[in-house]
Amino acid sequence: MSNILILTHPAFGILSVLAAVWLLVETMNANGLNQARITKAAYGVTIFMLLAWIFGGVWYVEYYPAEKAMILNGPWAFAHSFYMEVKEHLFFIPLILALYLPVVVTRNRLHANRTARIMVVAICVNIIILSLSIEVAGAVINQGSKVSFVQKDSLGDKQ
């Protein structure tokens, strides 16, 4: 089960980023004909972000404590002490922004409301940048875990 969670969490995160890019492009080219696609993309960002949050949360509560101990005792302790700490606090921002997107999109016809268009573009850019930063932090944490397990294995062979 942990293998599924560790794969679905970042996969849904990236799908959320891709949906945000889609929404960004549709919003920058908003017209009366693409409002349905804009709405679908906004809901896609929200759904994928929520799924990434749920799968990541389950993994974090169920499986990360043992891995955290390994990382903190390994050569890449900074992978948890810095990157996971940043990730733990940063993920709320794109989550809240993703939850807000459908509200902005469904309450406004973006092709007729320049201010709402600018708001959606700003939200998408923030989601994209923050989510990709979180993905990079996750990669560093993953590497910190791998390095810790390799060190444990090599020390175990010498004993």
Side-chain angles (χ1 to χ4, degrees):
M1 180 65 166
S2 67
N3 288 336
I4 291 170
L5 291 174
I6 203 70
L7 293 174
T8 54
H9 168 59
F12 282 121
I14 289 297
L15 287 173
S16 180
V17 170
L18 292 173
V21 170
W22 175 29
L23 178 58
L24 176 67
V25 171
E26 291 287 356
T27 300
M28 292 177 74
N29 296 294
N31 57 52
L33 302 174
N34 70 344
Q35 185 64 38
R37 288 193 309 266
I38 289 172
T39 303
K40 286 178 187 176
Y43 278 105
V45 172
T46 304
I47 290 166
F48 291 139
M49 187 69 72
L50 280 172
L51 288 170
W53 177 66
I54 290 167
F55 284 114
V58 170
W59 180 80
Y60 183 79
V61 169
E62 292 292 322
Y63 301 101
Y64 187 67
E67 192 169 331
K68 173 184 172 182
M70 289 289 299
I71 294 170
L72 288 174
N73 290 319
W76 278 35
F78 66 89
H80 174 81
S81 60
F82 179 76
Y83 287 94
M84 183 55 100
E85 291 296 327
V86 168
K87 189 176 176 184
E88 287 171 349
H89 293 85
L90 192 63
F91 87 94
F92 283 112
I93 298 168
L95 175 64
I96 291 168
L97 291 174
L99 290 170
Y100 185 59
L101 269 175
V103 174
V104 176
V105 167
T106 57
R107 288 192 176 184
N108 295 285
R109 293 182 327 190
L110 295 185
H111 67 280
N113 187 335
R114 183 176 187 272
T115 304
R117 260 193 331 269
I118 291 169
M119 184 183 302
V120 171
V121 167
I123 291 170
C124 287
V125 168
N126 277 292
I127 287 173
I128 292 164
I129 291 170
L130 292 172
S131 296
L132 289 176
S133 299
I134 289 168
E135 290 285 341
V136 169
V140 172
I141 295 160
N142 184 40
Q143 186 63 26
S145 177
K146 287 179 183 178
V147 169
S148 297
F149 283 113
V150 167
Q151 179 189 24
K152 180 183 179 232
D153 286 345
S154 65
L155 291 175
D157 292 340
K158 292 178 182 178
Q159 293 178 350

